[in-house]
Amino acid sequence: MKSHFKARVKKASFALAAFTLAAALWLPCLHLFFRKPISDFYQENGVSPKARQLAARHMQLWTDPPLRRIEIQKMRASNAEWDFMGRTFLVWSLVNMGLREPGMKEEYLPVIDQIIQETVEIEERDGIYAFLMPYAKARPYQVSPARSLFLDGEIALMMGARRILQEKPAYRLPMTERLNLIGHRMRSNPLMAMESYPDECWTFDAAVALVAFKVADRLDGADHSALCQQWVALARQKLVDKRTGLLLSTYQIDGTPLYGPEGSTLWMAAHCLQAVDETFARDQYDRARRELGRITLGFGYGLEWPASWQGPMDVDSGVVIPWLGVSAGSSGMAFLAASSFHDWDFLQALAATLDMAAFPSRQNGRLRYCASNQVGDAALLYASVLGPLWERIRKP
């Protein structure tokens, strides 16, 4: 009996050793099954195959009302913000695609206008809370009347981006009015802080608003350069984490930190700041890449928090895998930053992870990711086509 037991143990040990050896041999090669040329996801000129397939899916959603209604209802059941951000990322994407392929502009413009007009109509009819999470109603805004930089900045940039692609006079005044309001509130606060939620100021939203100011300067001969430079100077001094040098993600209107550095905010902030202050943007990207960007066995991903700071999981973080700290929100936003700063190794590794873990589904030339949703896919589409809009804004 004892010898039989020993034999079984020896066989089990051998099997375990064989499995360990096999794993050691094939795991480092696994990413090769999913690794594709970077041009499959992003091309500096033209539109990549993956971008074209993602765009086809989104165009279908906006030309098939019942299908769009189902998709929006699913997102709003979790987070009304996702409905709003799915719209903004898609508009910015289609603008970039129209700039890349001018011959397609006439196909994209009606969808862009439909999205902008419907979004504004919902806000006017139902108020700012239509696109905010429920806790926005839990307490009053510190500044009256209640406005959200999250909404005002992104709507202004949607309108401005559309006007960059092709001027639409009807958008000039409402865009200017939103930016004037943002500018007034920023100048009225010592830290140039404006609320997105009651007594919550998000760096993500401030960075978007700064780009919208740059668009207005390009289109309308305005000059917000001093305002933008002042915000960057204040951010460098008072809105960065002392240990990492990374921007805080959230703070109160008096500057009291709420959340420290978060990947789901930082990658987007670096991308936007590239159109405002390239030196500061590059500094933030390099820090974020060091603190939050990872490539393991050929697969890329983003951490939600640096090792020196552990924050709470929220809806922006998405699912965070314990121990590894892998964040769906940070990984998704990392695509934008990697594309913006031409970090091709990281972008290629992120794309390998996407194809391995997000379960791509292709049908009739349209692509969606089963582990994602409309806003996630819209952000990926934006990452795959961004570039031309920022170039127009920065052009002297």
Side-chain angles (χ1 to χ4, degrees):
M1 178 70 73
K2 191 177 292 186
S3 63
H4 179 65
F5 176 75
K6 286 182 178 180
R8 292 181 64 184
V9 170
K10 188 179 291 187
K11 286 182 179 179
S13 298
F14 177 79
L16 179 60
F19 175 81
T20 303
L21 177 61
L25 291 173
W26 66 261
L27 275 177
C29 301
L30 179 62
H31 73 282
L32 297 176
F33 292 99
F34 301 97
R35 185 181 179 90
K36 296 182 176 65
I38 197 65
S39 58
D40 181 66
F41 182 84
Y42 182 90
Q43 295 181 7
E44 294 191 69
N45 298 300
V47 177
S48 71
K50 196 159 287 183
R52 205 173 295 283
Q53 293 165 5
L54 283 166
R57 163 67 175 168
H58 285 282
M59 293 291 284
Q60 180 193 31
L61 290 175
W62 279 92
T63 53
D64 185 336
L67 186 62
R68 181 172 82 257
R69 191 159 47 247
I70 292 170
E71 194 69 25
I72 288 175
Q73 285 172 351
K74 285 192 298 185
M75 287 194 301
R76 292 186 69 88
S78 299
N79 182 359
E81 282 189 358
W82 290 350
D83 175 21
F84 179 74
M85 294 181 70
R87 297 163 185 263
T88 58
F89 276 124
L90 181 54
V91 166
W92 301 337
S93 299
L94 295 178
V95 167
N96 275 285
M97 292 179 73
L99 293 172
R100 287 173 176 272
E101 296 184 330
M104 296 296 292
K105 183 170 64 173
E106 296 306 318
E107 182 175 343
Y108 299 143
L109 283 171
V111 175
I112 291 170
D113 286 336
Q114 180 186 355
I115 295 170
I116 294 173
Q117 290 161 15
E118 182 183 296
T119 303
V120 172
E121 287 170 5
I122 292 172
E123 183 203 33
E124 290 176 347
R125 184 185 69 233
D126 301 330
I128 64 171
Y129 299 102
F131 291 116
L132 298 177
M133 288 187 282
Y135 81 90
K137 297 181 179 180
R139 55 180 176 163
Y141 277 78
Q142 297 293 301
V143 179
S144 296
R147 302 289 306 192
S148 173
L149 182 59
F150 169 52
L151 303 184
D152 284 325
E154 294 199 15
I155 290 174
L157 186 52
M158 277 198 286
M159 291 178 172
R162 194 276 191 218
R163 293 178 60 204
I164 290 282
L165 180 60
Q166 182 172 298
E167 182 60 271
K168 188 175 179 71
Y171 289 153
R172 178 172 180 170
L173 180 59
M175 175 185 164
T176 301
E177 289 176 341
R178 286 183 191 268
L179 291 179
N180 286 345
L181 185 148
I182 294 170
H184 173 72
R185 292 202 175 185
M186 281 187 166
R187 292 185 181 98
S188 301
N189 181 276
L191 283 175
M192 304 189 73
M194 178 176 168
E195 297 162 286
S196 291
Y197 281 81
D199 207 14
E200 284 186 13
C201 307
W202 285 82
T203 302
F204 185 117
D205 302 329
V208 170
L210 294 180
V211 180
F213 284 129
K214 300 295 286 187
V215 173
D217 292 353
R218 167 60 56 187
L219 288 168
D220 301 324
D223 185 1
H224 296 94
S225 56
L227 182 148
C228 293
Q229 290 167 10
Q230 185 180 358
W231 189 94
V232 170
L234 283 169
R236 285 180 180 274
Q237 295 171 17
K238 306 199 174 175
L239 298 179
V240 296
D241 172 59
K242 302 305 180 187
R243 288 167 291 188
T244 62
L246 288 167
L247 284 162
L248 303 174
S249 60
T250 324
Y251 44 93
Q252 292 178 304
I253 201 163
D254 65 0
T256 302
L258 291 174
Y259 290 178
E262 287 188 345
S264 51
T265 289
L266 284 165
W267 300 116
M268 178 65 173
H271 161 63
C272 290
L273 288 170
Q274 191 181 40
V276 178
D277 186 310
E278 291 189 67
T279 301
F280 186 45
R282 167 55 73 175
D283 172 74
Q284 285 296 298
Y285 179 74
D286 290 344
R287 291 174 186 272
R289 181 68 178 83
R290 184 167 59 250
E291 296 280 348
L292 304 171
R294 297 289 184 271
I295 299 177
T296 301
L297 298 175
F299 292 103
Y301 54 93
L303 307 179
E304 181 66 341
W305 311 289
S308 60
W309 190 83
Q310 186 73 12
M313 286 189 293
D314 60 22
V315 71
D316 295 320
S317 308
V319 176
V320 176
I321 299 174
W323 301 294
L324 290 176
V326 181
S327 161
S330 178
S331 298
M333 292 295 101
F335 276 89
L336 275 65
S339 292
S340 297
F341 293 93
H342 295 179
D343 190 345
W344 305 133
D345 288 342
F346 189 35
L347 184 61
Q348 191 171 34
L350 287 166
T353 304
L354 183 70
D355 283 343
M356 186 270 291
F359 309 109
S361 173
R362 290 177 173 84
Q363 186 176 16
N364 299 325
R366 296 185 289 268
L367 169 64
R368 69 183 183 92
Y369 287 94
C370 298
S372 179
N373 57 19
Q374 190 266 343
V375 64
D377 285 358
L380 290 168
L381 172 59
Y382 180 57
S384 68
V385 296
L386 58 77
L389 178 58
W390 268 211
E391 290 172 10
R392 294 289 183 94
I393 295 170
R394 293 182 298 184
K395 189 179 296 182

